[in-house]
Amino acid sequence: MHPYRTKNCGELRRSNVRERARLSGWVHRARDHGGLLFIDLRDHYGLTQCVVEPDSPAFALASEARSEWVLTLTGPVVARSTDTVNPDLPTGEVELRIEEVAIQSRAEELPLPVFGDLDYPEETRLRYRFLDLRRERLHHNIVLRSQVVQSIRRRMTGAGFMEFQTPILTASSPEGARDFLVPSRLHPGKFYALPQAPQQFKQLIMVAGFDRYFQIAPCFRDEDGRADRSPGEFYQLDVEMSFVTQDDVFAAMEPVLHGVFEEFAGNRPVSRPPFPRIPYAESMLLYGSDKPDLRNPVMIADATQVFNREDVTFKAFKGKETVRAIPAPGAAAQPRSWFDRMNEWARGEGAAGLGYIVFEEENGRTVGKGPIAKFLSDDALSRLAVLTASKPGDAVFFAADKIGRAAVLAGQARLKIGSELSLTRKDCFEFCWIVDFPMYEWNEDEKRIDFSHNPFSMPNFDRDKFLALDLQDRDTILGIKAFQYDIVCNGVELSSGAIRNHRPDVMLKAFEIAGYSRDETEQRFSGMLNAFRYGAPPHGGTAPGIDRIVMLLADVPNIREVTMFPMNQQAQDLMMGAPSEVNPRQLRELHLRIVQPEKKS
RNA sequence: GGGGGCGUAGCUCAGUUGGUUAGAGUGACGGCCUGUCACGCCGUAGGUCGCGGGUUCGAGCCCCGUCGCUCCCGCCA
């Protein structure tokens, strides 16, 4: 007989009765009745109840066992009597009658119980991650992650993509996030950087003629964490394709994303390809966000003109750059205090407040109520009702400010209304592409033109006219769109992507517009620019976040729930004790000297 | 870098207006119990109330500082 097991803890069934079996696993729970001892033995595959009576020679040793000890139990599989079957357990029709006990490992008193599904503080969970990972929910999430990655690989390979590995030790890139640096031993004073993404490598893979690339790629960024963003490192499905248009990239990704989500969504419906394509400007207007949650039916409208009419005398909104109207269907049923709380919330977000109008029916016609309704003529009110598709029983909130701030506040109010009024659908996955991002934006602080998103994107603009652009023509430049797109699911940005700028002349001009001299651009991106001078195919790609895909499928709000060994918000690994000090010899070899920051007085 | 919340037994938490010896559940340890599957019953041990200072006759509770965790803003091409 195998020294550890002939079956795992999840596979014994009625058909195995009368077989002799050996199981190994952790003591999930022990119930000692004095004259009868039950041990629930658990492994990766499941749970099996094992039982022993006092007249058995195994009883003494078995009754020593405590939670999370590792045991090997041997004995005959027996059927449970009908009144003792456990229907909640796949193995619940049988039990193992213990005849032999081997204690493989003992466990000290647990800092984190494996049994039960209570929530425990992050610090404990991270410090004892190996215990937390034994628990059912987290164990299941990690298994799901593995299956999702496997499914992605299968689908990508099936679609003709090849997976290639790109370097982990590479050069610091001057743009983007803060790099993680690795000091060079052989080259004093020089550093490698961990890749923020394999961006330049995957483009070089296209220049090298490999046509369709993907990688489940680790990415490193030394930026602060958030609940949905681990500090330091994360994984993305990095994709690049040659000789493609934007639509070709969408057509390649949609079946993969739809397929993976469908495979693991259970009964939750998933958007069918083709996913909606929403221009950036339209998304900012209708949803107040560049990552709209389409499960929320509320659509924002622009009401600036209504409030500037002569028959509208609400002074607080007069002369505001923008007034956005956020419908709140059915909100008339809410008490006054609900509207007050919405206002308070808006003030907490740094806004002056949210005006609102409630539509009611009076003598067969629709009238407006609420603090600001009296400043609007009947005609203006009905115009608002049309704009916001409101009917009696509905309300409308208003966000008035500069265009950017009003849009964002309206977007936040939309999310709040959606969740507070239970309008946002649950248990479904709504995808969309956001397209036509602006290539550039105006940096008001530094009074200059910045790249709006990815500087390597191809401008969606006539090439000759682009090359001839006058840098003084700010309005034209700020109006240029890029072949740049995001894929969004349920209000979560899964990735951005782009058709890349593969032409050195256009790239130099694009950077010149953003304030980089030709020499500077040549120097900073010499690797890629050089490659583009030897025959670069038109190419483009995208890179959906693996962690976020699994978060959505596992329906958890925190990225640590789908990561095997995550760091905490301070970018520390509490279990391994990283980061840690290193010994002086290591520092000498690396030509480093530590300068501690001065303590605050 | 900034803002909010939290910090009490191994673990999860309660602790009223500042007032006697800081409690419960769970886990640990010991005892009883032959059908449980959150087994049940009895008992025992277990505390630097994050840390430092202050106010007070008296501080887990109030004040100041500090540390840690977490959520958010900044940041994340």
Side-chain angles (χ1 to χ4, degrees):
Chain A
M1 203 175 222
H2 189 276
Y4 299 126
R5 63 182 174 199
T6 59
K7 289 279 191 291
N8 67 49
C9 294
E11 66 178 325
L12 289 179
R13 297 288 184 276
R14 184 170 281 279
S15 59
N16 300 108
V17 168
R18 282 188 295 279
E19 287 175 21
R20 192 173 174 79
R22 176 167 287 171
L23 302 178
S24 282
W26 288 262
V27 176
H28 191 62
R29 198 77 175 156
R31 294 176 294 282
D32 187 349
H33 291 236
L36 190 64
L37 170 64
F38 296 104
I39 292 175
D40 290 338
L41 203 65
R42 182 199 73 240
D43 66 10
H44 173 76
Y45 306 96
L47 197 71
T48 302
Q49 173 166 285
C50 306
V51 62
V52 60
E53 293 176 12
D55 51 359
S56 163
F59 186 85
L61 199 52
S63 60
E64 276 184 45
R66 293 291 176 269
S67 287
E68 299 308 308
W69 288 25
V70 177
L71 305 181
T72 299
L73 303 177
T74 313
V77 180
V78 300
R80 299 203 206 179
S81 64
T82 37
D83 55 325
T84 61
V85 162
N86 184 346
D88 299 329
L89 223 51
T91 61
E93 285 193 295
V94 298
E95 60 196 7
L96 186 88
R97 197 157 293 264
I98 304 168
E99 289 181 352
E100 292 172 45
V101 178
I103 295 171
Q104 308 291 2
S105 286
R106 290 163 198 262
E108 293 177 16
E109 187 172 351
L110 298 170
L112 179 87
V114 175
F115 175 79
D117 63 349
L118 276 176
D119 271 328
Y120 293 92
E122 288 287 344
E123 190 175 359
T124 312
R125 295 183 56 194
L126 291 175
R127 197 177 294 278
Y128 299 97
R129 189 65 171 177
F130 48 89
L131 290 177
D132 200 18
L133 285 163
R134 285 183 202 165
R135 309 180 78 220
E136 191 174 1
R137 208 181 330 167
L138 196 50
H139 203 86
H140 172 265
N141 288 350
I142 299 299
V143 168
L144 173 67
R145 185 191 178 106
S146 170
Q147 291 168 334
V148 166
V149 168
Q150 196 272 341
S151 170
I152 287 172
R153 282 213 164 92
R154 180 166 41 82
R155 291 169 194 279
M156 292 303 290
T157 313
F161 289 87
M162 302 187 89
E163 181 165 19
F164 301 118
Q165 282 71 51
T166 50
I168 300 298
L169 292 173
T170 180
S172 174
S173 83
E175 292 296 316
R178 197 178 290 118
D179 280 319
F180 274 104
L181 297 176
V182 180
S184 163
R185 174 179 59 85
L186 294 175
H187 303 279
K190 294 189 174 175
F191 293 82
Y192 303 93
L194 307 183
Q196 296 178 22
Q199 177 71 33
Q200 295 193 50
F201 287 113
K202 70 174 173 180
Q203 293 194 237
L204 290 165
I205 288 171
M206 294 303 103
V207 176
F210 286 99
D211 205 65
R212 282 156 95 86
Y213 144 92
F214 84 101
Q215 181 181 199
I216 309 293
C219 304
F220 305 90
R221 294 178 191 175
D222 189 4
E223 297 292 349
D224 292 349
R226 284 287 185 282
D228 63 347
R229 197 174 81 203
S230 39
E233 56 185 75
F234 59 96
Y235 281 80
Q236 57 188 35
L237 165 58
D238 200 42
V239 177
E240 200 73 6
M241 309 161 73
S242 284
F243 303 111
V244 289
T245 64
Q246 183 167 292
D247 283 338
D248 292 328
V249 177
F250 293 178
M253 294 310 294
E254 282 174 348
V256 173
L257 290 169
H258 176 263
V260 168
F261 272 75
E262 188 106 286
E263 184 176 348
F264 298 103
N267 296 322
R268 298 169 287 182
V270 181
S271 307
R272 298 207 156 274
F275 301 154
R277 287 122 208 240
I278 304 170
Y280 172 82
E282 185 183 321
S283 183
M284 290 308 291
L285 169 62
L286 293 180
Y287 308 106
S289 168
D290 60 0
K291 40 183 180 181
D293 188 344
L294 298 185
R295 296 173 302 168
N296 182 340
V298 173
M299 304 262 249
I300 301 163
D302 189 272
T304 314
Q305 288 186 353
V306 175
F307 280 91
N308 279 329
R309 283 162 56 146
E310 282 190 4
D311 57 350
V312 175
T313 57
F314 188 54
K315 287 200 187 109
F317 284 4
K318 286 280 182 200
K320 291 280 184 190
E321 190 174 296
T322 309
V323 181
R324 289 283 154 86
I326 312 106
Q334 297 294 325
R336 169 67 188 257
S337 61
W338 183 79
F339 290 91
D340 291 343
R341 274 204 310 277
M342 285 294 291
N343 235 328
E344 238 163 78
W345 162 83
R347 272 194 279 271
E349 297 292 313
L354 288 172
Y356 65 89
I357 290 174
V358 178
F359 291 102
E360 289 176 2
E361 186 163 323
E362 216 169 76
N363 305 323
R365 57 190 201 96
T366 303
V367 299
K369 300 273 171 147
I372 69 171
K374 60 176 177 282
F375 297 104
L376 284 83
S377 67
D378 286 354
D379 188 60
L381 278 170
S382 50
R383 176 74 193 133
L384 270 180
V386 169
L387 273 176
T388 58
S390 295
K391 52 188 192 317
D394 297 342
V396 178
F397 287 92
F398 301 99
D401 209 319
K402 295 214 154 132
I403 186 159
R405 288 176 57 113
V408 169
L409 179 66
Q412 290 169 327
R414 172 181 176 268
L415 293 179
K416 202 169 168 59
I417 289 165
S419 64
E420 295 229 343
L421 299 180
S422 303
L423 301 168
T424 302
R425 290 188 301 280
K426 292 192 164 78
D427 299 320
C428 61
F429 296 103
E430 296 269 5
F431 281 91
C432 61
W433 296 98
I434 306 300
V435 299
D436 295 342
F437 277 86
M439 183 84 192
Y440 298 102
E441 64 190 11
W442 181 245
N443 183 331
E444 184 58 38
D445 292 342
E446 297 174 33
K447 305 285 180 207
R448 62 188 191 85
I449 292 171
D450 272 348
F451 284 113
S452 166
H453 290 84
N454 187 328
F456 302 113
S457 304
M458 184 66 97
N460 185 355
F461 204 73
D462 181 86
R463 182 182 303 144
D464 293 332
K465 284 185 187 150
F466 186 82
L467 290 172
L469 273 174
D470 184 338
L471 302 192
Q472 301 309 310
D473 193 357
R474 210 212 287 173
D475 287 345
T476 305
I477 289 170
L478 291 177
I480 295 174
K481 307 277 191 283
F483 281 113
Q484 158 113 31
Y485 37 84
D486 281 3
I487 179 85
V488 174
C489 179
N490 291 3
V492 175
E493 181 194 321
L494 288 183
S495 80
S496 60
I499 297 300
R500 319 298 174 185
N501 186 343
H502 70 285
R503 303 237 336 176
D505 51 349
V506 179
M507 194 168 150
L508 286 168
K509 182 72 183 185
F511 276 83
E512 189 186 341
I513 290 170
Y516 297 83
S517 72
R518 298 181 81 87
D519 286 351
E520 212 176 342
T521 309
E522 290 279 5
Q523 205 182 333
R524 289 186 164 193
F525 305 106
S526 60
M528 216 156 64
L529 268 176
N530 197 30
F532 288 170
R533 294 199 167 96
Y534 294 94
H539 60 285
T542 182
I546 299 287
D547 311 84
R548 288 189 178 170
I549 289 174
V550 183
M551 277 174 76
L552 283 167
L553 287 168
D555 196 20
V556 296
N558 194 300
I559 200 159
R560 289 186 291 266
E561 303 296 328
V562 295
T563 309
M564 187 80 98
F565 298 114
M567 296 201 281
N568 69 5
Q569 198 179 35
Q570 278 69 41
Q572 296 165 307
D573 181 336
L574 295 176
M575 191 175 57
M576 302 302 283
S580 62
E581 291 176 346
V582 297
N583 67 47
R585 207 194 79 212
Q586 289 173 294
L587 288 177
R588 266 199 313 279
E589 277 181 347
L590 295 168
H591 327 289
L592 292 179
R593 190 171 295 142
I594 304 299
V595 182
Q596 291 289 354
E598 284 175 36
K599 290 221 172 83
K600 283 187 291 184
S601 53

